[in-house]
Amino acid sequence: MNTNTNTNTNTNTNGQTEVDTVIVGGGQAGLALGYHLAQQKRDFIILDAHERVGDAWRTRWDSLRLFTPAKYDGLPGLPFPGDRLSFPTKDDEADYLEDYAARFRLPVQTGVRVDRLWPEDDHHVVTSGAQRWVGQNVVVATGGGQDPRLPAFAAELDSHVVQLHSSDYRNPGQLQPGAVLVVGLGNSGAEIALELSRTHPTWLAGRPSAELPIRHGRMAARFALPLVRFLGLHVLTLNTPIGRRSAPKFTAHAAPLIRTKLSNLTAAGVRPTPRVAGVRAGLPRCEGGEVLDVANVIWCTGYREDWGWVDAPVFDSEGRPQQRRGVVESTPGLYFLGLEFMFAAASATVTGACRDARYLAGRIADTSPGLTGTSVSQRSPGGTRRVEHP
C-alpha cells in the first residue's frame, strides 16, 4: 500500500483515527480541496481506493486524451506543465496528479476502499474493513458514476463473443479477429469506435445527444474552448434560469460529441446501426430485428451511481444526493464534490471541480472554524490565507 500521511491525526489504541476532515476520493476534486484545506492549516486526510494517485486516469484506454487543453487541466497552485494549447494524454494527467500530491505533501492514503460512512452524534464515521476514521467533516469526492452499467441481456451473448465495458477496454489488441460492435454513442463510444475501425470492421449503435459545433484542436483551444468554459462555469449554473432548465438534460444524457463527430466516423467506415434491443442466437439484436454477426462487443454504456456505502438519509427518490453546491444542509458536516452538474455544467470537469472545491473549503472554514493541526509541512508562498467564496 502506497501512503503519504503527513497529518497530525490522533490514532487511539482501538485503531480509530480522529481527524478534522476526511476526504473520500483522491482524484482531481479531492486533491484540489486538500490544497485549500492545507492553506487553512486544517487537519485532514484523503482516502483513495487506488494504489497510486492518478490511477483513475491510468486505467482508462491507452489512446485517451483530455478534451480540455493543458491550460485548463491544472489544479490550484500548480499550472499543468508543457504546451498550454496541447491536449494531455491520460497518463500525463495521472502523473501530474501524483506529482501534485507529492509537491504539496497532501496527506493521501492510497489502497483504502471505504465501505461505509455514517453520521454519529456531532461527527461522522468512515470505515474501510477494520480501519476507522472519525471526523467533524466528511467530503465525498468519488464522483457519482463508479459501477459500469451493462444491459441485463449482455449475459445472453454467446461465450465466444468477446465483450468488454469501456472501463476495461485498453486497446484493439484485446479483441479477437472479426467485426466489433460498439454500443453507446457518447464521447467514449465515438473515440473507441474510431480507433477500432483501423483494425476491425466496426459497427456503432446509438445516437449522440448533440455535437459541439466546432472543430476540436489547437485553434479551438485558443478561441472557442474559452467561451465553452465560460458558459459551463458561469452561465449554465443552478443560479441562472437557463442553467436550471438545462441541468436535468445534462444529468440524463451523455455529453455532446466533442472531438470525434459523426462525419469522422462515417469517413473512417464505421457503420451505424439502430439501438441494441436484445440477443438472438447468442448475437446482438437491434431494434427492427437485425442480428449482427460480430466477434466482439464493447459496451460504452456509462456508469451507474452506487451510494450504498453512504449510510445517511441524504438521497432523493432517484438516488441522487440532496445537496446545494455540495453542502448537505440536512446533515451538517457532510459534503459532496465532483458530481455531474453539482452546481454548473462544468462541475465534473477539472476546472469546475477546482472551483467547487474552493467554495466548499470556504464553507468548511465558516462552519468548522477550529484549526486542529498543520497537516502539510510544505506550503505555497504566502502561507495560510482565508478562502473566500467565489
Side-chain angles (χ1 to χ4, degrees):
M1 180 185 300
N2 176 28
T3 60
N4 175 21
T5 53
N6 296 290
T7 66
N8 288 331
T9 55
N10 176 28
T11 302
N12 62 28
T13 56
N14 295 324
Q16 175 172 291
T17 301
E18 297 177 1
V19 63
D20 178 81
T21 301
V22 180
I23 302 172
V24 182
Q28 56 260 23
L31 295 179
L33 178 60
Y35 173 88
H36 291 299
L37 295 184
Q39 302 304 294
Q40 299 175 11
K41 296 186 177 180
R42 189 171 294 274
D43 187 20
F44 68 99
I45 191 167
I46 303 172
L47 306 177
D48 191 78
H50 295 95
E51 292 304 314
R52 291 173 62 190
V53 173
D55 274 356
W57 284 100
R58 288 188 188 90
T59 54
R60 305 297 300 278
W61 71 88
D62 295 346
S63 63
L64 175 64
R65 286 183 173 270
L66 276 65
F67 293 121
T68 49
K71 63 179 178 178
Y72 297 144
D73 297 330
L75 302 187
L78 184 65
F80 201 95
D83 183 351
R84 287 169 53 79
L85 297 181
S86 67
F87 297 91
T89 69
K90 52 100 175 182
D91 290 325
D92 291 336
E93 180 70 12
D95 291 344
Y96 167 83
L97 295 179
E98 189 170 45
D99 291 344
Y100 185 90
R103 172 164 309 197
F104 292 107
R105 304 287 301 275
L106 297 180
V108 182
Q109 185 168 347
T110 56
V112 178
R113 182 172 297 278
V114 170
D115 49 43
R116 191 180 175 209
L117 155 64
W118 73 94
E120 187 174 280
D121 299 328
D122 61 347
H123 55 266
H124 299 270
V125 181
V126 175
T127 61
S128 174
Q131 296 178 285
R132 179 184 174 103
W133 295 264
V134 174
Q136 184 174 357
N137 309 292
V138 173
V139 182
V140 178
T142 58
Q146 298 293 321
D147 290 342
R149 179 189 292 119
L150 292 171
F153 56 75
E156 301 174 21
L157 286 174
D158 190 283
S159 60
H160 293 98
V161 176
V162 172
Q163 55 174 322
L164 299 169
H165 188 269
S166 58
S167 60
D168 296 316
Y169 173 77
R170 300 293 178 267
N171 55 63
Q174 293 172 282
L175 306 187
Q176 61 187 340
V180 57
L181 168 65
V182 178
V183 181
L185 190 41
N187 282 291
S188 297
E191 302 238 327
I192 290 174
L194 184 64
E195 176 174 81
L196 290 175
S197 69
R198 304 183 186 110
T199 56
H200 293 71
T202 303
W203 295 87
L204 179 56
R207 298 175 59 184
S209 59
E211 292 187 355
L212 200 65
I214 55 174
R215 183 178 179 181
H216 192 268
R218 293 182 64 85
M219 289 294 289
R222 185 183 296 274
F223 299 110
L225 294 183
L227 175 59
V228 174
R229 177 177 180 268
F230 179 84
L231 293 173
L233 283 173
H234 303 291
V235 178
L236 297 176
T237 79
L238 297 181
N239 282 348
T240 67
I242 188 173
R244 289 190 291 273
R245 289 195 301 269
S246 301
K249 298 177 183 178
F250 271 81
T251 56
H253 301 288
L257 297 184
I258 297 174
R259 179 163 42 219
T260 300
K261 314 292 179 57
L262 291 177
S263 59
N264 304 122
L265 295 167
T266 300
V270 176
R271 290 172 284 184
T273 187
R275 187 177 71 89
V276 176
V279 173
R280 181 182 298 164
L283 294 172
R285 174 181 57 81
C286 300
E287 286 184 340
E290 181 182 10
V291 176
L292 300 179
D293 186 9
V294 295
N296 311 275
V297 175
I298 308 295
W299 300 103
C300 297
T301 43
Y303 299 81
R304 64 170 57 88
E305 293 186 337
D306 181 9
W307 301 113
W309 57 277
V310 181
D311 189 4
V314 298
F315 302 98
D316 61 22
S317 59
E318 296 180 353
R320 288 184 57 82
Q322 294 180 299
Q323 50 78 33
R324 181 173 178 80
R325 202 164 184 180
V327 180
V328 181
E329 301 288 357
S330 64
T331 307
L334 181 60
Y335 305 88
F336 285 83
L337 182 61
L339 300 180
E340 191 72 46
F341 219 120
M342 190 178 83
F343 172 68
S347 284
T349 68
V350 174
T351 302
C354 287
R355 189 200 34 193
D356 290 342
R358 183 169 179 262
Y359 174 81
L360 282 190
R363 286 298 301 265
I364 290 172
D366 288 343
T367 58
S368 179
L371 304 185
T372 58
T374 53
S375 60
V376 175
S377 58
Q378 177 180 336
R379 304 191 184 282
S380 59
T384 303
R385 59 181 173 83
R386 174 62 181 273
V387 180
E388 298 295 337
H389 297 185

